Amino acid sequence: MSARVTIGVLALQGDTREHLAALDAAGAEAVTVRRRSDLDAVDALVIPGGESTTMSHLLREFELLDPLRARLAAGMPAYGSCAGMILLASEILDAGAEGRAAVPLGGIDMTVRRNAFGRQVDSFEGDIEFEGLDAPVHAVFIRAPWVERVGPGVQVLARAAGHIVAVRQGAVLATAFHPEITGDRRVHELFVDTVISAR
């Protein structure tokens, strides 16, 4: 790797530790992001899995919502898994109860449906083809979303059960599944390479 990049993992709620380990294994300087000064100091951001409505509430509480939207609009690379995919969308279906709804950050021109594959008991895993990777990815879906619409600038990277589950728009990547918990670092390596290219 020719340049070491600093990639933050949003550490308000969700599976932060697993993403930090995956990014470190992929060659990045991985740090937690909890406040505005943390966000300002990173080259890119990972938004982990978790609960999208809780994460939205905490983004407001920690005064990170508008700064994060501004960084994304300015071209900051980002990667979101599961709840992170939901938040990176431009539109969220079944966003949750008013006042506690998941808030779209507008990082990718797409419409995402929360909990589309069902409840926790409907979680599943399997091998799926992933555009740009030489072998299938073992994908773990936990109360996962899917993508119902993509804009013209969005590349579809993977599908499961006929639904879009991985996308990319410029330097922003999102998956409905959790590569951080499988030990397969290729999605994180792809993201780190994207961040290096965007510098």
Side-chain angles (χ1 to χ4, degrees), residues 47 52 56 59 65 68-69 72-73 78-95 102-114 145-151 154 164 167-169 172-176:
I47 304 175
S52 56
S56 296
L59 282 170
L65 184 60
L68 179 49
R69 279 182 171 150
L72 288 168
Y79 166 51
S81 64
C82 198
M85 168 184 259
I86 295 167
L87 295 180
L88 283 173
S90 54
E91 181 185 17
I92 301 169
L93 302 178
D94 297 330
V103 178
L105 296 170
I108 297 177
D109 180 10
M110 63 179 174
T111 302
V112 172
R113 183 175 295 279
R114 290 176 69 237
W146 66 49
V147 179
E148 296 212 348
R149 177 200 64 85
V150 295
V154 179
I164 299 169
V167 293
R168 179 180 194 161
Q169 183 172 19
V172 183
L173 175 70
T175 62

Side-chain angles (χ1 to χ4, degrees), residues 59-74:
L59 282 170
R60 290 192 198 94
E61 286 292 306
F62 283 79
E63 298 182 349
L64 279 170
L65 184 60
D66 290 337
L68 179 49
R69 279 182 171 150
R71 289 271 337 249
L72 288 168

Side-chain angles (χ1 to χ4, degrees), residues 2 6 16 19 21 24 31 35 37 46 48 62-63 65 92 94 108 116 129 157 159 162 170 185 187:
S2 59
T6 301
T16 304
H19 277 291
D24 184 65
V31 299
R35 54 184 64 87
S37 58
V46 170
F62 283 79
E63 298 182 349
L65 184 60
I92 301 169
D94 297 330
I108 297 177
E129 298 291 332
L157 300 175
R159 296 175 185 267
R185 303 305 186 211
V187 172

